[in-house]
Amino acid sequence: MAVESKLSHTAAMILQAIHAGYGYGFSVMEVTGLPSGTVYPALRRLEQSDLVRSQWERQSAADAELRPSRKNYKLTRSGRATLDASQKRYPLLVKLIPSSEVENA
Amino acid sequence: MRVDLAILRAAAVLAPCRQRAEWLGEWRSELWYVRQSRGGSGATAFCLGAFKDALWLRRNAPHEEGSAVSRLESPVKCVLFLALLGAVSLWLAIRAPYTRVEGEPPLGELLIRLNLHALLISVLVLPAITSLRLGEYPENSHSPPLPTRLRRWFFFAIKIALIIQILSCAAVSLKLIQPYVWAVYLLAFRWALIDQRQRCPVCLRLLTNPTRIGGASQTFLEWYGIELMCAKGHGLLYVPEIPTSCYSTQRWLYLDPSWNGLFS
């Protein structure tokens, strides 16, 4: 079911960004250039569709770096399969957000 | 308080109560990163997106116990709530100062004079803002008897009558809303229609568990839209996203009693 589902280009870009290692909302905004009013509702929609899963990072890890803890998003198995289908549909997706660009994942 | 934080707090009011704390926590955490990267002006623009996110959550969150919607889920509670509003508005209309001034027409005449035009305008405009159709309820072997089916229309008539009573009395007592009372009628009638469409035709309770079915890109011999169910197991409601030849409007499916065990 999830493999067959077709995503909009925006949703596919967000999935690709998460897959590339941009795991929290603002980093997705930065890499995709999308505004906050688009990215955060899209993340919730993707989570509701079971394509991504969110998890708060451990407070101790954030404290060690003197920053607030953040909510990280990861692809689920069906999210990965949907992204594979989207990459075939939007071949430029991988070139737009290559995995190797991640510095602060 | 900083402007960006104030924006976030204002937007948080729109988020559902149960998810508000976590929602605000996520946005505040993200804001810290935005400030580090973009500074103050970027943070304000970032926070404005919170309204859209909170609204999305509000629209897609399941109804919370104790929320206004869940309190009006039962038809009896809905009618009682409207009746209470009706009693309050009648009391205010009777106590309104200018209804007791000599030379002013009696209350009954005032009610008709102030509301007749507003009612007519709202009824004429109503089809422009919402569909007047209440959906298809095709009969099958599990359909309830005629008196049960008529109860739905009786409930609808009571709601409309109470709305007219509430607003006509409110228009008399609150002079401020008199020029706009037609618009208030319009919104109230729209609510009555939407509420009626979302109720089970058997027990008249609000339907629950909205589930999205199908996709806009896959419509060949299929439909897409939202399916709702009656919590008591009386049936399912299919609401198409766009009217098609097979689903021109929402359609109800009566379930047979063997399904009851799954719902109770």
Side-chain angles (χ1 to χ4, degrees), chain A residues 20-38:
Chain A
Y22 299 91
Y24 62 103
F26 180 58
S27 64
V28 174
M29 273 177 65
E30 289 277 82
V31 73
T32 58
L34 294 167
S36 58
T38 300

Side-chain angles (χ1 to χ4, degrees), chain B residues 19-75:
Chain B
Q19 292 157 284
R20 192 170 295 153
E22 192 188 344
W23 180 88
L24 193 56
E26 183 181 3
W27 274 90
R28 290 184 74 159
S29 152
E30 296 284 303
L31 180 59
W32 186 88
Y33 294 96
V34 177
R35 279 183 190 149
Q36 300 296 311
S37 164
R38 294 184 182 175
S41 58
T44 307
F46 169 81
C47 288
L48 289 173
F51 286 99
K52 209 171 162 187
D53 188 34
L55 272 177
W56 188 92
L57 262 189
R58 163 72 61 187
R59 272 202 305 269
N60 291 279
H63 296 319
E64 294 172 3
E65 284 298 320
S67 71
V69 173
S70 70
R71 279 196 291 270
L72 295 181
E73 188 184 337
S74 143

